[in-house]
Amino acid sequence: MSVNEIRNIALVGQSGVGKTSLVERLLFDSHSSTHLGNIKAGDTITDFDAQSIQYQHSIEATPVALSWQSHRMNVIDTPGLPDLLGRTLSVYPSVETTALVLDANTPINQLSDRLYAFAQEQQKCQMIIINKLDLNPEKLAGLLAEIQQHFGDECLAINLPTSDGRGVVDCYFEPDYEQATLFDSVESAHEKLIDQVIEVDEALMEIYLEQGSELNPQQLHDPFEEALRTGHVIPICFVSAETGIGIPLLLRTLAELMPMPDEGNPPMLEKGGKLIRVDCDQLDHIVAHVFKISVDPYLGKLAYLRVFQGEINAGSQLYIGESNKAFKVGHLYQLQGKKRNEIGRARAGDFCVLAKVDELAFDSVVHDSHDEDGVYMRTLDFPEPMSGLAIRPIKRGDEQKLSEVLGKIASEDPSLRIEHRARTNETVLSGQGEFHLKVALEKMATLYKLNVDTQQPSIEYFETITQPAEGHYRHKKQSGGAGQFGEVQLRVKPLERGAGFNFVNKVVGGAIPTSLIPAVEKGIRQALAEGAISGNPLKDIEVTVYDGKFHSVDSKEIAFVIAGKKAFLDAVNNANPIVLEPIVELTLQIPTPDVGDVTGDLAGNRGVILGTQSEDNNFTTIEARVPQNELVDYAQRLRAMTGGEGSFNLRMSHYEPAPTMVQDKVCKEAAVH
């Protein structure tokens, strides 16, 4: 198949707008499938995994292929749940076109905004598909107006619903000006499209304006592609996945208007910080990118590749990134849901799947020549985690298995984060929300047979002192043989926040031999790590050792380690020690009507609002500073306050003295443990 006949499209959008049903209808009406699957029946091609069937929501981003006339279309069905946004964003580099699916019954929310904006950042050609046109046709005119207000006047209808809402009228290819529509008119919609498209081609505009000539789709092809590449036009198609209304025209639009691989904006492949060009017609010098990893119980690790240049064959020798070690392609597949088709080759513009190449990871670039060493795909900006859980295996001895399973889970979902926190000895799994983590934990239990205990991650408090003080300790031990003796006198004083620890030796006259001063510091550092009142490390303290005593026979290193530690703790207890709590900076994006509820909740939880900024009529950004321990369940709280539309990210800011109530609680919990 020629590269000119390939189209790569990702269907993206909010949950519930019918993306999976639309893919089923496209497959069925193009005769690429003999069965029209149903989500409730659990028999759709793309939602074939157990979790998608269980939740009746797409959990994975799943590519399928369909043939229509002479074209091959690779269509990716993506998750619409906010928690799984990262899985949707990860497939953007593999396509030329993203199609935002909406319907009149689902208000446009922040997720649609983010998907649309991300497509702009990735320089993807875009279109909008309005599904379920026959469900509430009286709402469609309002939805079209809302789309144009929300995303811009460049969003223009390529077809319109008939006056009874039971069909569509072509407004571009073969417009029927006499056909009655539900709103607007075919002639008006056609003229708006033409006027918008020819703005990118001055020569064609001159012909159109001066001669009044009717322009045909062939004349408009090149300017239409340019308008798509620059975001100057975003076609809108009305369809019904349920009944099939508008599907033939949608297939024609995808095939004839959406860009082929060498017509879209080039992929964001870089080398040395500069974009490189790939040539779809070049059969040598393979360049391909891994846009998805999955783990199959039978085939093992599967890597989904988009081929940008060259041709991959069974037997091809490929390199990964800058590796000098090549691997040989064994079997080459294309997957149609759970159905596996072995293929002999995959050429530029197409998708393929490689099995059992453990070195391949998400975002890997593979090639067959060292000329492409150092080529990488520009890094995607995945949303920051909003929820985290500390996990540990229930069964003793499964620690190594936990590490291996987490690695596999994270390889399939680049928006999951795994962190081992040495101070608290916790393994923390972080994601976009409660459901995101639930999906990961369920997969660990069912696929990998690993059950874990979970709890909220520990908050990392510190201790410090608030005033200067002195400490003294004499360590003396006699046990029949050689004894132990060491005496230390020191003073402490608080340092500015963030200064850490400073050790000063001002011992004179040999009161403590120079060779034993490191032992004193070692003891102090042990106490710093263990804390004095809450079991949390001490920080922002200067310690000055100024006197002591030693014994020529009994003074050993261990004696001065103990004496230094105890003298330091004596001084700290005299210096009014306190607990420091972490303060984070919070950036929220929320629906504007919910600003009052969200800011009120933050203020009621010791938060300080730093500023608000309205992005448009729909969403507001809030900057705040909040104690971390007030955000333990914040993802759930925010979802409740904003109807699931609010999102946030946070970053560590600084430490502040904890209020008495918080300090007492932390100290009490430390005493229990």
Side-chain angles (χ1 to χ4, degrees):
M1 176 172 285
S2 165
V3 68
N4 295 339
E5 296 167 330
I6 298 173
R7 302 292 182 272
N8 297 306
I9 306 107
L11 298 189
V12 303
Q14 303 162 208
S15 177
V17 295
K19 298 185 296 298
T20 300
S21 298
L22 182 56
V23 172
E24 282 294 309
R25 176 60 71 174
L26 289 170
L27 288 165
F28 184 74
D29 283 16
S30 66
H31 307 294
S32 303
S33 168
T34 57
H35 172 72
L36 185 62
N38 182 276
I39 291 171
K40 290 184 179 178
D43 61 353
T44 65
I45 290 176
T46 55
D47 283 1
F48 65 90
D49 59 286
Q51 288 181 308
S52 295
I53 294 170
Q54 175 189 347
Y55 292 111
Q56 296 189 1
H57 285 288
S58 297
I59 302 299
E60 304 286 347
T62 307
V64 293
L66 61 92
S67 298
W68 188 79
Q69 295 183 354
S70 63
H71 293 86
R72 173 189 178 85
M73 300 183 200
N74 296 310
V75 179
I76 305 180
D77 182 22
T78 64
L81 294 167
D83 277 17
L84 304 179
L85 175 60
R87 301 186 179 196
T88 297
L89 300 184
S90 65
V91 305
Y92 273 56
S94 67
V95 298
E96 281 72 47
T97 303
T98 59
L100 179 64
V101 184
L102 302 169
D103 74 58
N105 301 297
T106 308
I108 298 173
N109 67 17
Q110 189 185 14
L111 185 68
S112 287
D113 282 342
R114 295 176 76 177
L115 292 167
Y116 185 89
F118 196 77
Q120 289 181 314
E121 292 173 16
Q122 290 288 304
Q123 299 178 14
K124 299 302 171 185
C125 300
Q126 295 197 72
M127 68 178 297
I128 293 174
I129 301 173
I130 298 177
N131 193 19
K132 307 179 186 179
L133 74 86
D134 50 343
L135 199 57
N136 290 106
E138 71 280 358
K139 293 183 178 180
L140 295 177
L143 176 59
L144 180 58
E146 185 182 1
I147 288 170
Q148 291 172 336
Q149 180 183 10
H150 214 76
F151 301 120
D153 292 335
E154 60 271 18
C155 301
L156 294 170
I158 209 161
N159 66 0
L160 288 171
T162 55
S163 55
D164 59 3
R166 297 181 181 177
V168 296
V169 187
D170 180 4
C171 299
Y172 180 75
F173 297 102
E174 300 170 23
D176 181 355
Y177 298 129
E178 303 303 318
Q179 177 74 49
T181 63
L182 199 60
F183 51 87
D184 205 349
S185 70
V186 174
E187 184 176 9
S188 173
H190 181 75
E191 288 179 354
K192 289 174 185 174
L193 267 171
I194 303 304
D195 290 346
Q196 188 74 7
V197 169
I198 63 175
E199 284 183 2
V200 303
D201 189 322
E202 292 183 4
L204 197 62
M205 182 186 294
E206 189 174 332
I207 294 172
Y208 181 67
L209 295 176
E210 289 185 1
Q211 300 178 14
S213 301
E214 183 73 17
L215 300 173
N216 60 51
Q218 287 73 33
Q219 288 175 291
L220 290 165
H221 179 271
D222 288 348
F224 206 110
E225 297 298 339
E226 178 63 19
L228 284 170
R229 282 192 294 270
T230 58
H232 195 68
V233 68
I234 295 169
I236 300 174
C237 279
F238 290 87
V239 302
S240 170
E242 180 71 23
T243 62
I245 296 171
I247 296 298
L249 187 55
L250 174 59
L251 284 166
R252 184 175 183 182
T253 300
L254 294 174
E256 297 184 23
L257 292 185
M258 294 300 105
M260 61 186 75
D262 62 357
E263 286 181 327
N265 287 314
M268 293 186 175
L269 290 164
E270 298 184 351
K271 183 174 182 178
K274 295 181 179 179
L275 285 171
I276 66 164
R277 300 287 297 187
V278 289
D279 184 355
C280 294
D281 295 322
Q282 166 72 265
L283 292 181
D284 298 325
H285 290 310
I286 295 165
V287 178
H289 172 251
V290 178
F291 67 89
K292 177 182 174 177
I293 292 288
S294 67
V295 180
D296 183 275
Y298 306 105
L299 284 177
K301 189 175 190 179
L302 301 176
Y304 291 70
L305 280 76
R306 161 65 195 272
V307 184
F308 287 108
Q309 180 176 285
E311 182 178 276
I312 299 178
N313 300 285
S316 293
Q317 298 277 344
L318 298 177
Y319 299 97
I320 303 172
E322 298 186 55
S323 172
N324 288 319
K325 182 181 178 182
F327 71 91
K328 184 178 180 180
V329 175
H331 298 283
L332 201 60
Y333 301 102
Q334 283 178 335
L335 301 187
Q336 192 82 335
K338 61 184 176 183
K339 186 179 178 182
R340 183 173 74 248
N341 301 314
E342 187 163 356
I343 58 175
R345 64 176 188 169
R347 66 160 300 161
D350 220 340
F351 294 173
C352 64
V353 176
L354 300 181
K356 298 179 180 177
V357 184
D358 291 337
E359 296 83 4
L360 284 173
F362 171 75
D363 232 15
S364 292
V365 170
V366 302
H367 53 90
D368 64 348
S369 165
H370 287 301
D371 291 344
E372 278 74 44
D373 283 354
V375 172
Y376 60 93
M377 183 68 72
R378 183 178 293 175
T379 304
L380 297 173
D381 291 326
F382 288 109
E384 290 295 317
M386 296 197 295
S387 295
L389 287 172
I391 60 176
R392 59 181 178 85
I394 291 176
K395 184 180 176 183
R396 279 182 171 274
D398 273 351
E399 289 76 15
Q400 182 60 35
K401 184 178 181 180
L402 174 64
S403 177
E404 294 170 357
V405 169
L406 283 175
K408 292 178 180 178
I409 293 289
S411 73
E412 296 182 271
D413 187 342
S415 59
L416 282 173
R417 304 278 178 86
I418 299 167
E419 177 189 4
H420 181 74
R421 299 180 180 174
R423 181 179 147 190
T424 57
N425 194 29
E426 291 177 330
T427 299
V428 178
L429 177 66
S430 300
Q432 285 300 291
E434 188 178 1
F435 183 73
H436 193 192
L437 299 177
K438 181 180 181 182
V439 166
L441 294 173
E442 284 180 353
K443 196 164 189 176
M444 290 170 65
T446 56
L447 184 61
Y448 299 106
K449 311 303 179 188
L450 178 65
N451 294 303
V452 296
D453 279 331
T454 64
Q455 63 182 35
Q456 288 296 327
S458 301
I459 294 174
E460 296 187 346
Y461 295 94
F462 279 94
E463 298 176 13
T464 193
I465 58 174
T466 58
Q467 64 189 43
E470 296 206 357
H472 167 257
Y473 189 78
R474 173 183 287 183
H475 176 68
K476 187 175 182 179
K477 184 178 180 183
Q478 197 70 37
S479 55
Q484 295 180 8
F485 179 85
E487 185 173 343
V488 173
Q489 288 181 278
L490 52 76
R491 62 176 68 95
V492 296
K493 73 173 183 179
L495 298 177
E496 63 182 17
R497 201 70 64 235
F501 169 65
N502 189 29
F503 178 80
V504 180
N505 174 22
K506 285 196 174 179
V507 176
V508 294
I512 302 175
T514 302
S515 62
L516 291 173
I517 294 296
V520 177
E521 183 177 357
K522 181 179 179 181
I524 293 169
R525 288 188 178 275
Q526 287 180 1
L528 281 168
E530 296 169 7
I533 57 174
S534 68
N536 291 288
L538 284 144
K539 61 183 291 189
D540 304 336
I541 298 175
E542 181 175 280
V543 180
T544 301
V545 179
Y546 64 90
D547 202 0
K549 292 181 181 179
F550 85 104
H551 187 277
S552 58
V553 176
D554 293 343
S555 286
K556 302 176 179 66
E557 179 181 347
I558 183 62
F560 277 93
V561 169
I562 295 170
K565 181 177 182 178
K566 295 292 183 68
F568 174 68
L569 289 174
D570 180 46
V572 167
N573 287 322
N574 295 329
N576 192 23
I578 59 169
V579 171
L580 295 172
E581 64 174 350
I583 307 297
V584 299
E585 289 185 356
L586 196 63
T587 301
L588 303 103
Q589 288 186 314
I590 60 168
T592 298
D594 299 321
V595 168
D597 290 342
V598 172
T599 55
D601 176 76
L602 290 171
N605 287 279
R606 300 193 290 127
V608 177
I609 308 299
L610 302 177
T612 61
Q613 181 177 351
S614 180
E615 297 180 3
D616 50 39
N617 294 329
N618 300 291
F619 289 93
T620 295
T621 297
I622 298 174
E623 299 282 345
R625 195 170 285 142
V626 194
Q628 188 181 350
N629 69 356
E630 300 290 350
L631 299 174
V632 170
D633 59 349
Y634 194 66
Q636 296 93 304
R637 276 163 42 202
L638 186 65
R639 292 258 163 88
M641 288 185 285
T642 62
E645 291 197 39
S647 64
F648 70 91
N649 60 64
L650 54 83
R651 56 194 175 278
M652 182 62 200
S653 176
H654 62 284
Y655 278 80
E656 289 183 0
T660 302
M661 181 175 66
V662 173
Q663 176 165 307
D664 290 347
K665 180 183 177 183
V666 173
C667 293
K668 186 179 294 184
E669 289 174 352
V672 170
H673 290 93

